[in-house]
Amino acid sequence: MTDPAPAAPGPRPASRRLTAIVWTLLGLGIFAVLLGGMREMWLASERQDFRELPVLGQLSDFQLVERDGQPRSLADLKGEIWFAGFFFTDCPGPCPALISQMVELSRAVARTKGQVRVVAISVDPETDTPDRLRQYAARMGVGENFWLLTGPLPEVFRIAREGFKVPVEENPPEMIPQAGKMLHSTKVALVDGQGRIRGYYDGTGGELLGRALPDLGDVMREAGEGNRP
């Protein structure tokens, strides 16, 4: 009579506990970064000696369409502080990470009660119709204070290149299978209520919240000073 085959080795209890501890610490670390960034934002907006960020550019008016099918222009953002980036829904590269970071940013600035908005502009309007953007928003957890905009490609190119001074172009056919249809910047810009660019941040490196929120606090404070009689 032969001995029964030994049971297949499985994860040891200690290993499972260690894995759970690692994931818990990782989650706490992300929460701490978010909480710390929000704290810095509010401290910056409330302190007396705020930093005056440089003006890096001035946007001209634009005409695009939001995922709800309604037109949006620079005039619709007058008086609001906003963050802007470029993406496309079929992007096989950095766009999912970029939009995920921008979603977290939109959740952080929700505490400003409408003073701050997040905007992402598609660089592939042929694919990214309002209906497509609605589906993408649902999949990525995009909230109401986060606009997804689309419009004619020449207008998108003008906004990116002349307004935000960031590169965008169509990829050659041989690169499309790996890189997608479009090549674009993954920077996120901070824009004040006058349509002036006040900062640029890496949208995929995990440092967006930590760097952008303190600067946002300074711009909020500056706007508050400017509105005083």
Side-chain angles (χ1 to χ4, degrees):
M1 180 175 178
T2 58
D3 294 332
R12 297 180 179 178
S15 297
R16 289 197 296 268
R17 286 196 297 272
L18 180 59
T19 300
I21 291 171
V22 169
W23 280 108
T24 300
L25 291 175
L26 180 60
L28 290 173
I30 294 173
F31 177 75
V33 170
L34 177 60
L35 189 61
M38 292 175 66
R39 177 177 178 274
E40 288 297 322
M41 176 183 71
W42 291 113
L43 287 177
S45 67
E46 293 174 1
R47 66 177 178 243
Q48 297 299 317
D49 55 338
F50 65 90
R51 297 171 301 149
E52 186 171 349
L53 300 180
V55 175
L56 304 176
Q58 174 69 59
L59 299 178
S60 60
D61 197 19
F62 56 79
Q63 299 291 330
L64 296 171
V65 176
E66 215 273 324
R67 66 182 185 272
D68 61 7
Q70 298 302 309
R72 297 289 191 274
S73 68
L74 184 62
D76 294 311
L77 292 160
K78 185 177 181 180
E80 291 188 22
I81 303 168
W82 48 293
F83 290 95
F86 294 85
F87 82 111
F88 61 109
T89 61
D90 278 345
C91 174
C95 292
L98 170 65
I99 295 299
S100 294
Q101 289 284 312
M102 294 181 75
V103 166
E104 292 303 319
L105 181 60
S106 71
R107 291 171 179 167
V109 303
R111 289 185 59 188
T112 64
K113 299 180 180 179
Q115 297 180 62
V116 184
R117 189 178 300 278
V118 177
V119 175
I121 302 171
S122 171
V123 296
D124 182 14
E126 181 180 8
T127 300
D128 292 340
T129 62
D131 182 62
R132 177 68 173 250
L133 293 179
R134 286 194 295 272
Q135 297 174 32
Y136 186 78
R139 186 165 75 249
M140 297 298 292
V142 173
E144 293 299 319
N145 68 331
F146 190 158
W147 286 353
L148 298 179
L149 302 180
T150 188
L153 190 58
E155 176 74 342
V156 172
F157 276 13
R158 183 189 68 81
I159 296 166
R161 294 169 175 172
E162 299 177 15
F164 287 96
K165 304 295 191 295
V166 296
V168 59
E169 60 185 70
E170 297 181 73
N171 275 323
E174 64 272 15
M175 290 187 61
I176 291 177
Q178 293 78 30
K181 290 172 64 176
M182 306 299 294
L183 173 67
H184 64 92
S185 171
T186 58
K187 288 182 179 179
V188 174
L190 170 60
V191 185
D192 66 20
Q194 301 177 57
R196 302 179 302 178
I197 300 168
R198 309 302 295 274
Y200 288 102
Y201 314 94
D202 180 1
T204 60
E207 59 183 24
L208 179 59
L209 293 175
R211 291 193 57 223
L213 291 180
D215 286 358
L216 170 60
D218 286 311
V219 175
M220 290 174 64
R221 176 67 177 176
E222 177 185 290
E225 290 288 326
N227 290 331
R228 289 186 180 182

